[in-house]
Structure formats: C-alpha cells, structure tokens
C-alpha cells in the first residue's frame, strides 16, 4: 500500500511539472501558446530524431481531426500495423494523448522520461507543455517500434510543435474560424497556417474546402510539388444511414461499412479517411477491405475515443458531444434533429476564448438550459454564459460544475426526454472523470 501511494505521489508530481511548470495552452490560454519550431527541433536533436524511425501520417484541421486520427489508427491497426497515435487534448488521463495500438503510454514511462529530462534539460530553451509532450510521444513510438504513427497537430499547423515530422501523407480535414488571435482573422489566413503541414513532394488529402480556402491549398500544394486530393470531389462514401445503432456507409471501394461513431458529421470524416486509404495503397501500405470495415466498426474499442456523440444513458437519452466551435456546433445541432425525444435539456459550458455568441446563436430556443463551467482559467463562468445566453433567448439556471448541472437535468427530465452535454471538451472531461469512465487504469 505504501508503495502504491508513493507511486501515486510521483505521478502527481510528474503531471504537475508538465502542466504547472511548463505552460499549456489548453489550461493557460495565450500564456501557453508558443508558436515556432526552434525548441521542438532542438529537443528532437537531443533525442536523436526519433520520428524518423517510423512512417507518419500528419493531420490538421478545424474540426474532425481527432475522429479522423482515431479512425485511421483503428483501420491501420486492423491491417496488422503497430500504430502510434498522438492526439490532444485528453479527456480524463494525460496518457490518452499517447497510445500504441490503443494502449495508453504507461505511467512508469512518463515518470522516467520526465525524470531523465529534468536531470538533463534542454539548455538555452524553455520548452512548453506541448513541445515536451510531442517529443515524449515521438520518443515513445520509436522505443515501441511502431510501424506508423498518426500525429495530430495541437493548434494550427505551420508553427505547431509537431510540424518537424516528415509524413508519408498529410491530411487537412476542413477550415473554420478558430483561435483567430493566433491563426488569423479570415478563413484564408487560417487555411494558410493549416497548409503549413503540406510537405515538399508528399501527397495531401483535404476533407472539405471551398472558395478561397481551396485556392490556398491548391496554391501551396503546387508550390511544394505535392499531389493534392480533395475528398469531396470523388466521394468514397456513396450514402449514409442510421441503422441498428451504427452509421452505415455505402462506399465505392470498401463495401458496406458500419461506423461505430454515429454522428451524422462522421460521414465527412469517413470520406476523408477512405480517400486517404486509397492513397496509402499507392504508398505500398497493406490496406484490406475487411480490415477497413473492422477498423470503423471497432474504433472506440481499438483507440479509446470518447466524447463524439457519445451516449451514456438511455432513459433519458443522454448524449455527450465535444463540439466546441461554430462549425462543430453547426454539425452537432443538425445531428440533434435525427434524435427522437419529447423535451430537450441542454447542459453547456464554454471556454471564454471561443466565439460563444456565435455558438449560442445556433442552440435551440425550445429547451431547458443548465449553464455550467469547467475548472479551468480559460473557462467562461456559468453566470456569464447565462447572461450571454439570455441575449439569444436561451433561459436556464447556473451550476458551479457539470456534475451538479447534469444531476439537475436528470431530476427534471422525463424518460423520453433528451439531455445534451457539451460546449467544451473540458466540461465533458470533468464529467467523465467524475463517472470513473476511464477504460484503462493500468500502471
């Protein structure tokens, strides 16, 4: 027991070091945003460029990059590859960010890696949380001898810490207005930042783009002699229907696919993934139709993905959804229309640096609202959210945390009602933590 308690204290000290001594954008907002590759390249050098020891697929975009990354990882795992997966943020446990074939990085590895780094820190630099974490992931994947790693950007693309990699394939899911204070005030400016992951002579898949955004991608691909494929131009997904609790996809090259991620917006992500699979075949990846079908059907089991139109209760139907910007919430509200229910209960909380007014304008007026907040310096207070919501005709009560907000919604809801919990991944994370939802509590 004493040993277990000491390990728990060591783990807490390690995580506190990463988060508290090294600013993290997810926790500290602008103070944790550190654009530029100089520090990442210096870290990469002292760890002997570990990302060069395996193949890489690099993913950026405004929405859908997490789902796309997890679907790709699941499919390649089913194809027989040892797959590394680096994503952010985490829902419950820091280790969710770094996985191999769905299994989280061990606490022991994280503690040892941080301990070794602290003994021999990078001189002349002050690495951020994300710079250290991405370097740790690259190093871990090399140690685990992965065949391929799926790497998701943190914020943007061009100056993101992950953009030191040399991928077989780059993927950009879509472009929407987000993080304008860092990435630019227009779709064109943001697209140019995301296009920074396109590499010389290497193919790129674009999930959805139109107008000036498409022009930016075409121009950058041409400049870098990179072949470019817009997934929506020749869709792999012919049709999509909700059947037997899955999203059933009819496809051109992969037969009928039952996708475990049931959000209607997953159709676009699926189309992007299948288009990418076609290109990976040309790059001599072993891609099999049956394996792709299994990858879609088992994505949650294979990767531990949470928070994407995630049903946690039936009576009343309770859905957790991670949409947290205007583009994502637009898709989520369309998905809501497919559900059957009597009355709607909305448990919501936001980060203050999002376009909260834009999101609130999308939310249904015919609903009971339970305004809450995450335990984060970036969070908008429940009171402020309630005041802004009132300006959009949305009325409800405030609660200091999501657990109390959901409890109130459950008390008020009838069995045939629907409870929606969302607005921020951090709100979902706190709820899932309180529910002890973590699927892998291995040491």
């Amino acid at each position: 027991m004493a040993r277990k308690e000491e390990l728990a204290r060591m783990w807490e000290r390690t995580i506190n070091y990463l988060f508290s001594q090294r600013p993290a954008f997810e926790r500290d907002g602008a103070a944790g945003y550190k654009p530029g590759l100089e520090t990442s390249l210096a870290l990469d050098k002292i760890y002997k460029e570990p990302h060069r020891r395996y193949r890489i697929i690099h993913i950026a975009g405004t929405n859908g990059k997490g789902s796309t990354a997890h679907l790709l990882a699941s499919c390649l795992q089913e194809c027989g590859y040892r797959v590394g997966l680096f994503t952010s943020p985490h829902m419950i446990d820091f280790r969710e960010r770094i996985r191999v074939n769905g299994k989280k990085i061990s606490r022991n590895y994280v503690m040892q890696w941080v301990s070794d780094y602290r003994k021999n820190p990078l001189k002349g630099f002050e690495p951020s949380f994300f710079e250290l974490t991405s370097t740790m992931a690259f190093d871990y994947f090399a140690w685990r001898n992965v065949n391929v790693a799926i790497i998701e950007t943190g914020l943007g693309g061009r100056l993101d810490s992950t953009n030191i990699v040399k991928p077989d394939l780059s993927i950009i899911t879509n472009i929407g207005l987000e993080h304008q204070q860092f990435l630019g005030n227009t779709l064109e400016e943001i697209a140019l930042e995301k296009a920074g992951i396109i590499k010389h002579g290497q193919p790129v898949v674009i999930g959805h783009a139109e107008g000036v955004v498409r022009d930016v991608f075409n121009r950058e691909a041409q400049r870098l002699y990179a072949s470019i494929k817009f997934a929506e131009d020749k869709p792999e997904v012919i049709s999509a229907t909700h059947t037997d609790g899955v999203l059933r996809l009819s496809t051109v090259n992969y037969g009928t696919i039952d996708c475990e991620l049931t959000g209607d917006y997953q159709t676009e992500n699926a189309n992007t993934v299948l288009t990418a699979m076609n290109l990976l075949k040309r790059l001599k990846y072993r891609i099999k139709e049956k394996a792709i079908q299994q990858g879609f059907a088992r994505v949650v089991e294979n990767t531990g993905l949470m928070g994407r139109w995630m049903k946690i209760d039936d009576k009343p139907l309770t859905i957790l959804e991670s949409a947290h910007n205007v583009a994502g919430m637009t898709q989520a509200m369309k998905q809501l229309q497919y559900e059957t229910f009597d009355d709607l209960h909305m448990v919501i909380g936001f980060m203050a640096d999002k376009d909260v007014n834009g999101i609130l304008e999308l939310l249904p007026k015919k609903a009971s609202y339970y305004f809450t907040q995450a335990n984060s310096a970036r969070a908008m207070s429940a009171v402020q959210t309630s005041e802004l919501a009132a300006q959009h005709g949305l009325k409800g009560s405030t609660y200091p945390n999501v657990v109390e907000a959901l409890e109130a919604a459950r008390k008020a809801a009838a069995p045939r009602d629907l409870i929606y919990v969302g607005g921020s991944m951090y709100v979902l994370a706190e709820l899932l933590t309180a529910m002890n939802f973590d699927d892998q509590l291995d040491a």
Side-chain angles (χ1 to χ4, degrees), residues 100-145:
V100 172
N101 278 11
K103 185 176 177 60
K104 293 180 292 190
I105 187 172
S106 73
R107 290 185 179 89
N108 288 338
Y109 188 95
V110 176
M111 290 189 292
Q112 188 63 57
W113 195 93
V114 171
S115 176
D116 291 344
Y117 175 80
R118 295 183 73 174
K119 291 173 185 175
N120 296 286
L122 181 62
K123 293 178 174 60
F125 295 88
E126 190 69 16
S128 69
F129 166 85
F130 196 75
E131 286 165 340
L132 282 178
T133 302
S134 55
T135 302
M136 182 194 303
F138 298 155
D139 199 33
Y140 180 67
F141 293 154
W143 182 72
R144 288 293 310 276
N145 293 314

Side-chain angles (χ1 to χ4, degrees), residues 157-334:
R158 181 175 64 94
L159 300 177
D160 186 78
S161 301
T162 64
N163 203 29
I164 63 172
V165 301
K166 307 296 183 185
D168 285 348
L169 173 67
S170 299
I171 298 174
I172 304 173
T173 56
N174 50 56
I175 299 297
L177 292 174
E178 62 160 353
H179 303 302
Q180 288 100 312
Q181 68 270 45
F182 308 121
L183 304 181
N185 292 314
T186 67
L187 291 175
E188 186 174 9
E189 290 173 332
I190 294 172
L192 190 58
E193 288 297 315
K194 306 281 188 184
I197 72 165
I198 301 174
K199 298 300 190 297
H200 189 277
Q202 297 302 109
V204 57
V205 169
I206 310 296
H208 171 75
E210 54 191 27
V212 295
V213 170
R214 179 177 281 242
D215 293 341
V216 167
F217 292 146
N218 273 321
R219 186 170 65 246
E220 288 301 295
Q222 185 176 17
R223 182 178 69 84
L224 293 166
Y225 301 96
S227 65
I228 186 168
K229 179 74 172 178
F230 292 92
E232 60 194 335
D233 287 357
K234 289 183 68 177
E236 264 294 331
V237 177
I238 301 168
S239 64
T241 57
H242 294 274
T243 306
D244 300 328
V246 300
L247 183 64
R248 182 156 294 165
L249 308 170
S250 174
T251 73
V252 175
N253 289 300
Y254 300 94
T256 299
I257 292 176
D258 285 346
C259 184
E260 193 174 15
L261 306 181
T262 59
D264 209 49
Y265 53 83
Q266 296 294 352
T267 303
E268 183 179 307
N269 295 330
N271 197 51
T272 303
V273 169
L274 295 177
T275 301
M277 287 297 164
N278 292 340
L279 282 176
L280 292 177
K281 285 181 183 177
R282 299 179 194 172
L283 294 172
K284 307 304 181 184
Y285 280 69
R286 304 185 306 274
I287 305 299
K288 301 295 184 182
E289 178 181 317
K290 183 65 174 178
I292 301 308
Q293 293 171 355
Q294 291 173 335
F296 274 80
R298 300 172 182 172
V299 60
V300 174
E301 176 187 349
N302 284 347
T303 68
L305 181 63
M306 295 180 282
R308 273 65 171 187
W309 209 258
M310 180 179 178
K311 297 181 181 181
I312 62 169
D313 207 347
D314 291 318
K315 293 184 179 181
L317 178 60
T318 305
I319 293 171
L320 276 57
E321 170 53 42
S322 60
H324 55 274
N325 54 36
V326 169
M329 192 61 75
T330 298
Q331 293 179 323
M333 291 302 98
K334 286 181 180 177

